[in-house]
Amino acid sequence: MFKRRMSIASATIVAVLAALTSCSSSTSPSADGSPQSSSGTGNASAPDSGTDAVTLTFWTLIDPDDMTSPRSEALRNSLSDFAKAEPNITIKVETLPWPQLSSKLLQAGAAGDTPDVVRLLAWDLPKHVAANQLMDLNEFASDEYKKDWLLGWDALSFDGKKFAVPMEYRSPVLYYRTDYSPGVAPTSWQDMVEKSKNSSDPHAGVMQGFSPKDQGTAFGEPLVSYLRDAGLDLFDKEGHIAFDSAKGYEVFDNFANLVKDGITPEAALAYVYEDEQNDIVSGGKEYSILGSHRIDTIRKSAEVDRETLAVAPLPSMFGNKTAPAHVNGWTYAIPKGTDHADAAWKFIEFLTTAESQLATVKLTGELPTRTSPYSDPWFKSEAGADSKMLADWFQSNGATVDYGTHWVEFNEIASNAISEMVRNGISGEEAVKSIATQYNAISG
Amino acid sequence: MLLKRRRWTPHGTAVTGYTYLAPAILVVILVSAYPIALTVSYAFRETSFFEVGPFIGLDNFKGIVALPAFAKVLAATAKYVLGSLVLTFVIAIPLAVVLARRDRFTGFMRIVVLLPWVSSQTVSALLWSWLLTPNIGPVDEAIRGIFGSAPQFLADPAWATVSVVVANVWMGYPFATVLLLAAVTTIPEELHEAIAIDGGGWFNRFAHVTFPGIRNTLAIALIMQTILYFNMVTLIYTMTGGGPLTSTETLAVQIFHQAFDYNRLGFAAAYAVLALLLNFMFAATYLRSLSSDDSV
């Protein structure tokens, strides 16, 4: 009896241990869109060769199984075309929520279990560069590949090293309703404020979110444009705040005054990107400041055409001109933990050809980062007109930014500073100095 | 055939018992003890993103105490936990007493009361965010309709604290109610009748019969809810992200921010050790209150 009980207990323990220590299986969409179970990372131990079958793990926010999203359709098309071009390389897509891509990659790097290709936001790159997690793509890119980039190959470089290839460009832009009064784009920030104050339209005003939630991007993105508009950098060479000056104070005063003067509702202090988008879709304010990558989505959701909901470059705070574009967006990178760097590069190369980007922009509105797609007749059509206008703006008056490794904290501190200005009446100067004190303590 | 009767020694019984418990103990070690030990270790080490470096003593603790937000975090935590506890039990205790009555609506009411409990924190947070959204949310509209204007529930620091507490209580009162209801139903009816015969009203019945009868369960529920509210992240993070102006950034939310938004593992671990010590204090308080009660 005792022996029998011990046998049962031992078998139970062994079964539990086996269950706990067995490889975890996860279901992820495969290249053909059907879910498939995968075991481990799929990285083979043998080095790449031209004929060996390879499976690459690709981390992205896009779910290729989503039949409603244009970006999912674009990804499905790319995966299908790549499978035909490179039949020996299989892509295993793993979809993660966009705010988690960066932190998951950091964790994966520490655990030594990274994907082969990852989609990262430009402002997350400094963290991964500092964590020494990404491969220098200059080792893979040919001289021919390095040509034909809208902002040049050296954009988004770190000390001459290129750790990610930009796959799409975006910037905060001005959305405005032509069916509300005054119905025209302003010539400057001050013009926009005056038009809002003087209009009797119930929709008069400017929608701009200031919540520190969701990484504070609602305010952080346009803030960069307007600090550049003031001729200021965000950070100096030591990584400290570089806009502690009169013009920097003026930028913050201008934003805070939107709320103080009732042009922007007080509720916007708690608005994130999605809240702003919902406001535009529901026919909110005459003017709104939001990312250019949402144009098509917003027009579809609001059921309006481009004549009714138009977009324009951001109006400058310092004269009758446009503010600089804060050019940012998604990039592709190869983590150092990959065993298939050559195959990973082939995949990135394929996704970032001029042809691929042209096909993508027609489907999704994501702006190409290559120059040559913009000579396609599509950009002269009504469907492509906004994209061409934005690309011209990016090229003539846009720049990428070194975000530092504490971008999320910077956005939160800056967003809170605006709330302090509105609620507690501190000035732009006090706000900027407070930001400098807090941020410089973090950046060291 | 003679049946062989095996004599079980206490030692043999214990070995068998532990053998059957071994898988559960292993799981507890893997998912609780080991992560806690790692976290405590990280709190005393230098970290860079998710890489763990050398031992640095109390530097991480000094760092978090030196942060301007530290006192504010503790204050936000106290407001959130105490506010939620008071409101939860102010609702749960009388509700449990009412639901203990047996009438034709009791069964239906018990189901209705439990409904908020089945929602996840994320769903509850999104629901309340929508309810309180200016110009769109039903709560905001109703208040505007009555008073002409409504507070900025999620944009004003004071009101944001109230909002997360209300959302938390809405989600949490069913659990406390169910625990207390179970305790109330075990109180002998004769005790209520005795008070009634002596001329005591509802207050005397509650003070001298109901409350003593549910006191132990109330203590357990209080401690469980305290620890739950103290460690809650999802509801607050989804509703306010810890804002506005860090007014709702509790200790648990700060731990999440440090670890996953700011990638400062050492600071997050130091905060987590602090939270662990505070949780131990709550548990010790519970054990002391139970052991000092002669009726236990």
Side-chain angles (χ1 to χ4, degrees):
Chain A
M1 187 64 145
F2 176 73
K3 264 193 187 170
R4 185 163 172 254
R5 288 186 186 188
M6 285 304 294
S7 303
I8 294 171
S10 304
T12 307
I13 293 168
V14 168
V16 168
L17 283 175
L20 285 172
T21 56
S22 66
C23 294
S24 64
S25 68
S26 62
T27 302
S28 54
S30 67
D32 62 5
S34 60
Q36 74 177 33
S37 293
S38 62
S39 199
T41 63
N43 290 334
S45 55
D48 276 1
S49 75
T51 54
D52 286 351
V54 163
T55 299
L56 297 179
T57 303
F58 173 40
W59 281 9
T60 176
L61 70 156
I62 308 296
D63 180 6
D65 283 343
D66 183 355
M67 295 301 170
T68 63
S69 160
R71 291 196 289 182
S72 298
E73 185 183 345
L75 179 59
R76 277 198 303 279
N77 294 343
S78 296
L79 292 172
S80 173
D81 292 341
F82 183 73
K84 289 174 196 156
E86 298 283 350
N88 285 338
I89 303 176
T90 303
I91 307 296
K92 185 180 85 177
V93 177
E94 292 186 0
T95 307
L96 286 83
W98 74 263
Q100 291 181 22
L101 273 164
S102 177
S103 63
K104 289 279 187 200
L105 183 63
L106 285 170
Q107 292 170 50
D113 187 17
T114 59
D116 301 293
V117 179
V118 64
R119 187 166 156 158
L120 283 173
L121 281 165
W123 59 62
D124 286 327
L125 284 177
K127 278 186 291 192
H128 297 282
V129 171
N132 197 25
Q133 281 197 322
L134 305 176
M135 300 193 90
D136 181 4
L137 302 180
N138 280 318
E139 296 173 17
F140 300 93
S142 64
D143 290 340
E144 194 57 36
Y145 183 83
K146 292 179 184 177
K147 294 176 187 171
D148 189 35
W149 293 94
L150 194 67
L151 298 185
W153 174 249
D154 291 331
L156 271 186
S157 287
F158 296 82
D159 293 331
K161 294 186 181 178
K162 185 86 170 179
F163 293 103
V165 175
M167 54 129 330
E168 58 101 20
Y169 281 147
R170 56 177 69 173
S171 168
V173 296
L174 184 76
Y175 291 71
Y176 65 98
R177 293 287 296 237
T178 59
D179 53 341
Y180 299 161
S181 172
V184 293
T187 55
S188 67
W189 179 276
Q190 287 71 21
D191 183 40
M192 180 175 72
V193 168
E194 283 308 306
K195 281 182 160 73
S196 297
K197 281 182 181 170
N198 297 334
S199 172
S200 55
D201 193 305
H203 299 282
V206 179
M207 175 46 66
Q208 166 61 56
F210 295 102
S211 174
K213 256 179 75 180
D214 288 359
Q215 303 186 3
T217 52
F219 178 52
E221 282 192 21
L223 176 62
V224 171
S225 277
Y226 283 104
L227 288 174
R228 280 300 181 92
D229 188 29
L232 301 167
D233 282 324
L234 264 75
F235 310 115
D236 59 25
K237 285 187 184 129
E238 281 79 47
H240 293 164
I241 295 295
F243 53 86
D244 187 354
S245 63
K247 281 202 167 175
Y249 312 151
E250 190 176 343
V251 168
F252 275 79
D253 278 326
N254 284 336
F255 273 112
N257 287 341
L258 288 178
V259 182
K260 287 184 190 176
D261 295 343
I263 297 167
T264 298
E266 198 179 331
L269 292 176
Y271 274 20
V272 296
Y273 231 77
E274 295 306 322
D275 298 320
E276 284 193 70
Q277 176 171 314
N278 292 338
D279 188 81
I280 301 173
V281 166
S282 62
K285 293 292 178 191
E286 164 65 17
Y287 301 115
S288 303
I289 297 173
L290 203 66
S292 58
H293 55 294
R294 300 280 180 118
I295 293 173
D296 285 349
T297 304
I298 289 173
R299 282 177 179 153
K300 273 191 193 131
S301 301
E303 294 178 349
V304 293
D305 55 23
R306 65 182 292 270
E307 270 75 42
T308 307
L309 180 61
V311 292
L314 294 174
S316 172
M317 289 182 178
F318 302 95
N320 287 348
K321 54 185 171 119
T322 60
H326 168 203
V327 182
N328 63 99
W330 288 97
T331 68
Y332 292 124
I334 302 176
K336 278 187 176 174
T338 181
D339 290 328
H340 308 293
D342 290 331
W345 175 250
K346 280 185 184 167
F347 184 48
I348 290 179
E349 233 182 346
F350 185 87
L351 290 174
T352 52
T353 58
E355 294 75 27
S356 186
Q357 292 197 347
L358 181 61
T360 298
V361 70
K362 288 177 181 175
L363 206 50
T364 69
E366 288 177 313
L367 296 176
T369 54
R370 295 271 196 187
T371 311
S372 56
Y374 291 100
S375 53
D376 188 272
W378 182 81
F379 287 97
K380 294 196 173 95
S381 69
E382 192 182 323
D386 284 334
S387 297
K388 183 69 170 74
M389 178 266 293
L390 291 172
D392 288 342
W393 178 38
F394 293 175
Q395 209 169 18
S396 63
N397 195 14
T400 53
V401 175
D402 181 0
Y403 298 97
T405 54
H406 303 284
W407 177 242
V408 171
E409 289 160 281
F410 170 76
N411 283 343
E412 291 181 2
I413 292 168
S415 301
N416 284 332
I418 294 291
S419 287
E420 288 269 18
M421 291 175 74
V422 171
R423 298 209 171 282
N424 300 333
I426 67 172
S427 66
E429 181 174 351
E430 287 168 310
V432 170
K433 288 198 182 303
S434 169
I435 292 169
T437 303
Q438 293 177 68
Y439 184 81
N440 293 348
I442 292 166
S443 62
Chain B
M1 185 170 94
L2 287 173
L3 286 173
K4 219 174 183 182
R5 217 175 157 193
R6 186 169 182 89
R7 278 178 54 215
W8 284 98
T9 64
H11 174 70
T13 307
V15 168
T16 307
Y18 281 122
T19 305
Y20 281 115
L21 279 176
I25 293 172
L26 187 64
V27 169
V28 168
I29 290 171
L30 282 175
V31 303
S32 288
Y34 181 60
I36 290 173
L38 268 188
T39 302
V40 172
S41 158
Y42 293 164
F44 296 93
R45 300 169 84 89
E46 183 181 357
T47 60
S48 173
F49 299 104
F50 285 94
E51 302 288 341
V52 182
F55 179 79
I56 54 170
L58 295 174
D59 283 0
N60 284 327
F61 293 93
K62 289 178 192 166
I64 65 171
V65 169
L67 286 174
F70 182 68
K72 221 174 161 187
V73 162
L74 294 180
T77 307
K79 283 183 212 170
Y80 179 72
V81 172
L82 291 173
S84 299
L85 282 174
V86 167
L87 213 50
T88 296
F89 288 95
V90 159
I91 296 171
I93 294 173
L95 196 55
V97 171
V98 166
L99 290 178
R101 291 186 198 155
R102 293 173 199 281
D103 59 38
R104 56 182 167 155
F105 297 114
T106 305
F108 172 72
M109 286 306 299
R110 288 181 184 183
I111 295 170
V112 168
V113 160
L114 275 180
L115 280 178
W117 191 27
V118 304
S119 307
S120 68
Q121 288 186 39
T122 306
V123 167
S124 301
L126 292 172
L127 174 67
W128 277 96
S129 296
W130 170 72
L131 286 171
L132 299 173
T133 300
N135 301 322
I136 302 171
V139 169
D140 181 86
E141 273 199 54
I143 293 176
R144 267 178 211 284
I146 298 168
F147 298 104
S149 66
Q152 297 293 332
F153 287 109
L154 297 175
D156 181 280
W159 278 106
T161 303
V162 171
S163 302
V164 293
V165 164
V166 166
N168 184 29
V169 168
W170 176 84
M171 226 178 45
Y173 85 87
F175 179 69
T177 305
V178 162
L179 283 181
L180 294 173
L181 175 61
V184 168
T185 51
T186 62
I187 299 172
E189 194 58 35
E190 294 77 26
L191 294 177
H192 289 289
E193 289 169 2
I195 289 274
I197 289 167
D198 289 344
W202 67 267
F203 181 78
N204 280 321
R205 279 206 304 275
F206 180 80
H208 298 294
V209 175
T210 307
F211 187 78
I214 65 171
R215 193 176 58 187
N216 285 344
T217 306
L218 184 61
I220 294 168
L222 208 58
I223 295 301
M224 285 176 71
Q225 296 296 86
T226 301
I227 293 174
L228 174 67
Y229 295 159
F230 189 80
N231 296 321
M232 193 172 272
V233 174
T234 307
L235 180 82
I236 302 172
Y237 193 81
T238 307
M239 270 186 88
T240 61
L245 293 176
T246 65
S247 57
T248 59
E249 192 170 60
T250 60
L251 194 55
V253 172
Q254 176 70 205
I255 292 170
F256 187 90
H257 274 153
Q258 291 290 342
F260 300 111
D261 288 337
Y262 311 154
N263 304 124
R264 282 189 277 181
L265 197 59
F267 272 26
Y271 267 121
V273 167
L274 191 62
L276 185 67
L277 291 173
L278 288 168
N279 276 315
F280 276 142
M281 266 174 51
F282 299 141
T285 308
Y286 150 69
L287 288 170
R288 193 180 301 157
S289 70
L290 270 191
S291 63
S292 66
D293 187 342
D294 293 335
S295 64
V296 173

Short mmCIF file of all heavy atoms in Angstrom, two decimals, chain B residues 11 31 33 56 79 86 127 141 173 190 213 231 259 273 281:
data_model
loop_
_atom_site.label_atom_id
_atom_site.label_comp_id
_atom_site.label_asym_id
_atom_site.label_seq_id
_atom_site.Cartn_x
_atom_site.Cartn_y
_atom_site.Cartn_z
N HIS B 11 6.08 10.00 11.48
CA HIS B 11 7.09 10.41 10.51
C HIS B 11 6.70 9.98 9.11
O HIS B 11 6.78 10.75 8.15
CB HIS B 11 8.44 9.79 10.90
CG HIS B 11 9.51 10.05 9.87
ND1 HIS B 11 10.06 11.29 9.67
CD2 HIS B 11 10.11 9.23 8.98
CE1 HIS B 11 10.95 11.23 8.70
NE2 HIS B 11 11.00 9.99 8.26
N VAL B 31 6.81 30.62 -8.55
CA VAL B 31 6.07 31.83 -8.94
C VAL B 31 6.02 32.88 -7.86
O VAL B 31 5.62 34.01 -8.12
CB VAL B 31 4.62 31.50 -9.41
CG1 VAL B 31 4.64 30.52 -10.54
CG2 VAL B 31 3.76 31.03 -8.28
N ALA B 33 8.24 32.67 -4.26
CA ALA B 33 9.45 32.82 -3.46
C ALA B 33 10.65 33.23 -4.30
O ALA B 33 11.41 34.14 -3.94
CB ALA B 33 9.73 31.53 -2.70
N ILE B 56 25.29 47.38 -4.69
CA ILE B 56 25.53 48.79 -4.38
C ILE B 56 24.90 49.19 -3.05
O ILE B 56 24.67 50.37 -2.78
CB ILE B 56 25.00 49.72 -5.49
CG1 ILE B 56 23.51 49.42 -5.78
CG2 ILE B 56 25.84 49.61 -6.75
CD1 ILE B 56 22.85 50.44 -6.68
N LYS B 79 -4.35 57.78 0.49
CA LYS B 79 -5.69 58.28 0.12
C LYS B 79 -6.47 57.20 -0.61
O LYS B 79 -7.66 56.97 -0.35
CB LYS B 79 -5.55 59.49 -0.82
CG LYS B 79 -5.19 60.77 -0.13
CD LYS B 79 -5.17 61.91 -1.15
CE LYS B 79 -4.15 62.93 -0.79
NZ LYS B 79 -3.91 63.92 -1.84
N VAL B 86 -12.83 52.60 3.43
CA VAL B 86 -13.96 53.20 4.15
C VAL B 86 -15.24 53.06 3.33
O VAL B 86 -16.27 52.58 3.81
CB VAL B 86 -13.67 54.67 4.47
CG1 VAL B 86 -14.94 55.39 4.92
CG2 VAL B 86 -12.59 54.79 5.53
N LEU B 127 -14.71 51.33 -18.54
CA LEU B 127 -16.11 51.68 -18.37
C LEU B 127 -16.25 53.00 -17.62
O LEU B 127 -16.97 53.91 -18.05
CB LEU B 127 -16.82 50.55 -17.60
CG LEU B 127 -18.26 50.81 -17.19
CD1 LEU B 127 -19.15 50.90 -18.42
CD2 LEU B 127 -18.76 49.69 -16.27
N GLU B 141 -22.88 63.98 -18.18
CA GLU B 141 -24.09 64.61 -18.73
C GLU B 141 -25.13 64.79 -17.66
O GLU B 141 -25.79 65.83 -17.59
CB GLU B 141 -24.66 63.72 -19.85
CG GLU B 141 -24.06 64.01 -21.20
CD GLU B 141 -24.93 63.49 -22.33
OE1 GLU B 141 -26.11 63.85 -22.38
OE2 GLU B 141 -24.40 62.73 -23.14
N TYR B 173 -16.69 46.21 -3.73
CA TYR B 173 -17.64 46.01 -2.63
C TYR B 173 -18.35 44.65 -2.68
O TYR B 173 -18.71 44.09 -1.64
CB TYR B 173 -18.66 47.16 -2.56
CG TYR B 173 -19.86 47.01 -3.46
CD1 TYR B 173 -20.99 46.32 -3.05
CD2 TYR B 173 -19.86 47.56 -4.74
CE1 TYR B 173 -22.09 46.16 -3.87
CE2 TYR B 173 -20.95 47.40 -5.57
CZ TYR B 173 -22.06 46.71 -5.15
OH TYR B 173 -23.13 46.55 -5.98
N GLU B 190 -32.04 33.61 17.14
CA GLU B 190 -32.54 33.77 18.51
C GLU B 190 -31.94 35.00 19.19
O GLU B 190 -32.58 35.64 20.03
CB GLU B 190 -32.21 32.55 19.38
CG GLU B 190 -32.91 31.25 18.96
CD GLU B 190 -32.28 30.60 17.75
OE1 GLU B 190 -31.08 30.81 17.51
OE2 GLU B 190 -33.00 29.88 17.03
N GLY B 213 -20.87 39.42 15.82
CA GLY B 213 -20.91 38.16 15.08
C GLY B 213 -20.07 38.17 13.81
O GLY B 213 -19.59 37.14 13.35
N ASN B 231 -1.89 46.88 -3.60
CA ASN B 231 -1.10 46.33 -4.70
C ASN B 231 -1.75 46.52 -6.07
O ASN B 231 -1.25 46.03 -7.07
CB ASN B 231 -0.85 44.84 -4.48
CG ASN B 231 -0.03 44.57 -3.24
OD1 ASN B 231 0.90 45.31 -2.93
ND2 ASN B 231 -0.39 43.53 -2.50
N ALA B 259 9.67 50.18 -13.51
CA ALA B 259 10.15 48.95 -14.16
C ALA B 259 9.93 48.96 -15.67
O ALA B 259 10.84 48.66 -16.44
CB ALA B 259 9.46 47.73 -13.55
N VAL B 273 10.36 46.28 -2.59
CA VAL B 273 10.75 45.80 -1.26
C VAL B 273 10.02 46.61 -0.19
O VAL B 273 9.52 46.07 0.80
CB VAL B 273 12.28 45.90 -1.08
CG1 VAL B 273 12.67 45.71 0.38
CG2 VAL B 273 12.97 44.86 -1.95
N MET B 281 3.51 44.26 7.22
CA MET B 281 2.94 44.98 8.37
C MET B 281 1.45 44.75 8.45
O MET B 281 0.89 44.51 9.52
CB MET B 281 3.20 46.48 8.23
CG MET B 281 4.45 46.95 8.93
SD MET B 281 4.79 48.68 8.59
CE MET B 281 3.23 49.46 8.96
#
